[in-house]
Amino acid sequence: MSLPHAILTALLEKPSSGLDLTRRFDRSIGYFWSATHQQIYRELGRLEAEGHIRALPAAQPARGQKKAYEVLPAGRAELARWTAAPQDPKPHRDALLLRLRAAAVVGTAGLEADLRRHRELHRRQLAEYEEIEKRDFPPGDDSAQARLQHLVLRAGIELETFWIQWLTEALEDLPVVEDTP
Amino acid sequence: MSLPHAILTALLEKPSSGLDLTRRFDRSIGYFWSATHQQIYRELGRLEAEGHIRALPAAQPARGQKKAYEVLPAGRAELARWTAAPQDPKPHRDALLLRLRAAAVVGTAGLEADLRRHRELHRRQLAEYEEIEKRDFPPGDDSAQARLQHLVLRAGIELETFWIQWLTEALEDLPVVEDTP
DNA sequence: AGGTTTTTTGCAACTAGTTGCATAAACCGT
DNA sequence: ACGGTTTATGCAACTAGTTGCAAAAAACCT
């Protein structure tokens, strides 16, 4: 039950239309909470119905029918409540690890190529994160907000680094398990 | 679409009843692909209907009686196909990182305690993994199967280690962001 | 023997996320 | 002005996972 809270956070950072939100979910926010535009529009409707957000009166004669939303006090209160409330970590699911385990039984045929591909994807993601870090968190900016946001980004960077390294090790000593048909 | 493959893998490692599977999903397999017993029974039914597994003839089934399943050749083939097929990584979602980002906007009140709690949970998980490593992967066992399984376990160990460290850093320099009501 | 509790199996309803497609307006080249 | 593309919004159906509950056999106690 976190998509509404992701949206509230995004809207507090900057009031936006559905499409703007979609774009922001494709970059920064979506790195740890992804969402499609369909999900976003559905959720915007709910949040508005609940009185957590409202459509901004169209200030400028913007292109199209862009409808921007802003967070109402009730929405901010709900977000604060949710942020402070304890939450258990969700059980994780990792298809790649599962496939390795399956490969131990049915053979490693075809795996290596996909491991390489995944490593490449992680490398790209890492490069993107590092780009953002360089751009948005220059040394010396130590406002509380920036520190928190940087902390989150660093988690992303270190996780990608971990996966690249782990995949490299895996590829180095990937044993050949014969298919057993 | 991976639960059936997780179950096939588990059943190939060792034919089991629904309850046995449930237990094994609570420990080893569930560490990277969790499932409830309801999910497992539902999926067992599907897999049987598709001819991927069958109930072992040993004990004839009635309600409340253990029914063990084994994988049929079609099931093994499907698992091999799935293992070798390229798959894109799923977008990840991490509520804790999202909460940090929200906290940058609505304040860090109440967060610290939960960060500590999460760190404790990760420490316990790490201890469990290390226990398993000591028990199941003594140095010197270098069969191909063991190497693959160890690789997967090491990913778990290193991820838990990462989170403990990251949470420690986060707690050390968690800035105080005042609530902004 | 009779009742309670635990084990094992499973259905049904709900929630969250994904996929496919629809609509309308704006903008763009000819 | 016309037709094609892009922008912006959204509905509906589907898939996967979660939660709540319960029936049937077995085990456990008086």
Side-chain angles (χ1 to χ4, degrees), chain A residues 92-95 98, chain B residues 1-3 6 25 29-35:
Chain A
H92 19 95
R93 300 200 165 93
D94 190 309
L98 183 55
Chain B
M1 247 278 287
S2 308
L3 176 58
F25 269 79
I29 300 174
Y31 291 148
F32 50 89
W33 204 276
S34 67

Side-chain angles (χ1 to χ4, degrees), chain A residues 32 46 78 102:
Chain A
F32 49 90
R46 283 180 196 155
E78 165 57 22

Side-chain angles (χ1 to χ4, degrees), chain B residues 34-55:
Chain B
S34 67
T36 62
H37 69 102
Q38 291 94 331
Q39 268 180 289
I40 289 169
Y41 284 114
R42 194 196 314 183
E43 205 58 48
L44 282 173
R46 282 179 198 158
L47 285 167
E48 191 176 26
E50 284 165 1
H52 287 154
I53 62 174
R54 70 161 180 192

Side-chain angles (χ1 to χ4, degrees), chain A residues 22-95:
Chain A
T22 301
R23 295 219 181 90
R24 293 170 62 199
F25 269 79
D26 282 342
R27 355 178 243 104
S28 66
I29 300 173
Y31 291 147
F32 49 90
W33 204 275
S34 67
T36 61
H37 69 102
Q38 291 93 331
Q39 268 180 291
I40 288 168
Y41 283 114
R42 195 199 309 184
E43 204 59 46
L44 282 173
R46 283 180 196 155
L47 285 167
E48 190 176 27
E50 283 165 1
H52 287 154
I53 62 174
R54 70 161 180 192
L56 278 176
Q60 75 252 48
R63 23 201 299 253
Q65 307 227 13
K66 265 165 114 173
K67 230 191 320 184
Y69 291 90
E70 69 175 351
V71 179
L72 295 171
R76 176 184 283 272
E78 165 57 22
L79 183 60
R81 187 204 60 73
W82 176 82
T83 304
Q87 250 184 266
D88 283 333
K90 284 268 141 192
H92 19 95
R93 300 200 165 93
D94 190 309

